[in-house]
Amino acid sequence: MDGFLVATALSFAVIFVAELGDKSQLMALTFATRFKPVPVLIGITVATAVVHAVSVGIGYGLGATLPTGWISLVAGIAFLAFGAWTLRGDKLTDEEKTKAERSTGSAILAVGGAFFLAELGDKTMLATITLATQHGWFGTWLGSTLGMVAADALAILVGRMLGRHLPEKAIKYGAAALFAIFGIWLLVEALIELN
């Protein structure tokens, strides 16, 4: 039991600190200005749990890493596309707007998909792999997942507060810029790793 608690606490602390200021925390803030907080948090939690389960499996069972260069390349292109889509924008009728605010399925899928791509090969995934090579798999998975969700929950709170005070155009341009930055960041990481 002591090993489990150590693995959980250590993983929570390491991943929480690693996530502060990370691109996925900025993504959580961005998504929180556009969607309700609960679907954003659900999407983050599901994506994080899956990615960290893979990380723990790799670290604990195989001790190998994924080809992160190619994953970063695909994710970078996807983020640039998300940025362009955000800039283009869509117009909703009042009825569609009401439906979108009530609907949580599409927000969960959008957030979960974006986080899943962003976290593959990210420093938190690599940190989780490293922790899993030295500590119990379940405690590492639980602690790393909770640490990341807690850090991103802070970003959601900040995003919701900003969303109430910023004009819609500022949010749109800011979100597009953040997606573009994430995309370029991932492409640079991919090019460095693939060379």
Side-chain angles (χ1 to χ4, degrees), residues 128-154:
T128 302
I129 290 170
T130 304
L131 288 165
T133 62
Q134 301 165 4
H135 302 283
W137 69 270
F138 186 70
T140 301
W141 172 78
L142 183 63
S144 64
T145 301
L146 292 175
M148 187 161 162
V149 171
D152 291 336
L154 286 176

Side-chain angles (χ1 to χ4, degrees), residues 1-17 131 135-148:
M1 188 64 165
D2 285 339
F4 168 76
L5 293 177
V6 168
T8 303
L10 182 62
S11 298
F12 179 91
V14 167
I15 299 304
F16 183 85
V17 170
L131 288 165
H135 302 283
W137 69 270
F138 186 70
T140 301
W141 172 78
L142 183 63
S144 64
T145 301
L146 292 175
M148 187 161 162

Side-chain angles (χ1 to χ4, degrees), residues 12 21 67 71 73 86 93 99 110 117 133 142 147 155 170 181:
F12 179 91
I71 293 167
L73 183 67
T86 301
T93 65
K99 231 187 228 183
L117 285 174
T133 62
L142 183 63
I181 290 167

Side-chain angles (χ1 to χ4, degrees), residues 67-85:
T68 56
W70 289 106
I71 293 167
S72 292
L73 183 67
V74 170
I77 292 168
F79 278 96
L80 290 175
F82 291 155
W85 189 352

Side-chain angles (χ1 to χ4, degrees), residues 43-186:
I44 290 169
T45 303
V46 170
T48 300
V50 171
V51 169
H52 287 207
V54 169
S55 303
V56 166
I58 291 169
Y60 190 75
L62 305 174
T65 61
L66 292 173
T68 56
W70 289 106
I71 293 167
S72 292
L73 183 67
V74 170
I77 292 168
F79 278 96
L80 290 175
F82 291 155
W85 189 352
T86 301
L87 261 185
R88 188 194 71 178
D90 291 324
K91 297 288 180 195
L92 295 176
T93 65
D94 289 335
E95 182 182 337
E96 288 171 326
K97 197 171 191 175
T98 305
K99 231 187 228 183
E101 288 170 353
R102 283 184 302 187
S103 172
T104 57
S106 60
I108 292 170
L109 290 176
V111 173
F115 266 81
F116 183 80
L117 285 174
E119 286 306 308
L120 289 176
D122 191 52
K123 68 182 175 189
T124 52
M125 180 182 183
L126 299 176
T128 302
I129 290 170
T130 304
L131 288 165
T133 62
Q134 301 165 4
H135 302 283
W137 69 270
F138 186 70
T140 301
W141 172 78
L142 183 63
S144 64
T145 301
L146 292 175
M148 187 161 162
V149 171
D152 291 336
L154 286 176
I156 291 169
L157 289 173
V158 170
R160 292 303 289 179
M161 288 189 274
L162 287 176
R164 291 188 193 118
H165 302 293
L166 291 175
E168 191 173 329
K169 265 190 175 179
I171 292 170
K172 179 172 126 177
Y173 291 133
L178 285 174
F179 278 124
I181 290 167
F182 302 147
I184 292 167
W185 185 348
L186 288 166

